[in-house]
Amino acid sequence: MNEIFYMKKAISEAKKAADRNEVPVGAVLVKNNKILSSGYNQVIKLADPSAHAEIIAIREAARKTQNYRLIDCHLFVTLEPCLMCAGAIFNSRISSVTYATCDPKTGVAESNLRIFENRSLNHHAITKGGVLDEESVKLLKRFFLTKRQLKQADKK
């Protein structure tokens, strides 16, 4: 599986989020080396705190396959999943999660809870971080820098 190719697709999704003033996180879900679905953060647009990139991609894949179990699927996401997204990953039985960069505030694959390593849970996904890390970090930093600059301009 070409993780660079799929992560670049996830980064393209993240750019869609940034273009819409959403936190730039993107995801693609792959099965049999084909993109099954994709998503980007849409919490503001949809007024839905669950509208993270991963959730959008998982929902689309479940609709397409007419199955809530996404066995043998691989998720590529630009930011380490949060606890909510990890729950959806567990419940959908996604096999692996590859993410670009860690999220020290809310990430649960390696930054905080290391939830995917918890053997008391009934499902486990293989995780790998650091794929195209720099590209994802640049996108996030640029987005939040712009937000801060706009906030400062509004104060003047």
Side-chain angles (χ1 to χ4, degrees):
M1 184 168 301
N2 187 337
E3 61 188 20
I4 301 295
F5 174 80
Y6 295 119
M7 191 59 76
K8 284 184 178 181
K9 295 291 186 184
I11 288 170
S12 291
E13 291 294 311
K15 289 176 181 175
K16 290 179 188 176
D19 290 344
R20 292 159 177 82
N21 202 31
E22 301 269 4
V23 175
V25 178
V28 296
L29 200 55
V30 176
K31 184 169 185 165
N32 298 325
N33 292 314
K34 293 183 180 167
I35 295 175
L36 182 58
S37 63
S38 61
Y40 57 88
N41 275 5
Q42 297 182 53
V43 296
I44 297 168
K45 175 187 175 195
L46 299 177
D48 179 356
S50 72
H52 288 195
E54 300 96 313
I55 302 294
I56 301 288
I58 289 168
R59 285 178 180 156
E60 182 183 335
R63 267 193 307 273
K64 278 185 178 177
T65 62
Q66 291 295 295
N67 194 337
Y68 71 99
R69 297 279 170 104
L70 300 172
I71 297 168
D72 297 324
C73 288
H74 307 276
L75 180 67
F76 293 83
V77 61
T78 60
L79 187 64
E80 179 183 6
C82 69
L83 189 56
M84 176 186 67
C85 292
I89 291 163
F90 283 131
N91 287 322
S92 62
R93 304 300 194 259
I94 289 171
S95 300
S96 71
V97 179
T98 302
Y99 54 93
T101 193
C102 291
D103 183 351
K105 292 183 180 180
T106 64
V108 297
E110 73 176 277
S111 294
N112 293 295
L113 298 177
R114 296 175 117 26
I115 196 82
F116 294 100
E117 295 174 16
N118 186 328
R119 294 297 164 215
S120 65
L121 299 171
N122 69 335
H123 175 70
H124 302 96
I126 298 166
T127 60
K128 178 182 180 183
V131 177
L132 296 182
D133 174 72
E134 288 182 30
E135 197 167 338
S136 180
V137 168
K138 283 180 188 174
L139 189 58
L140 287 160
K141 283 185 175 181
R142 189 176 327 121
F143 176 80
F144 286 112
L145 176 63
T146 301
K147 283 281 207 195
R148 283 190 299 275
Q149 288 171 339
L150 289 172
K151 198 173 189 178
Q152 289 296 334
D154 286 345
K155 288 182 180 179
K156 294 180 181 180

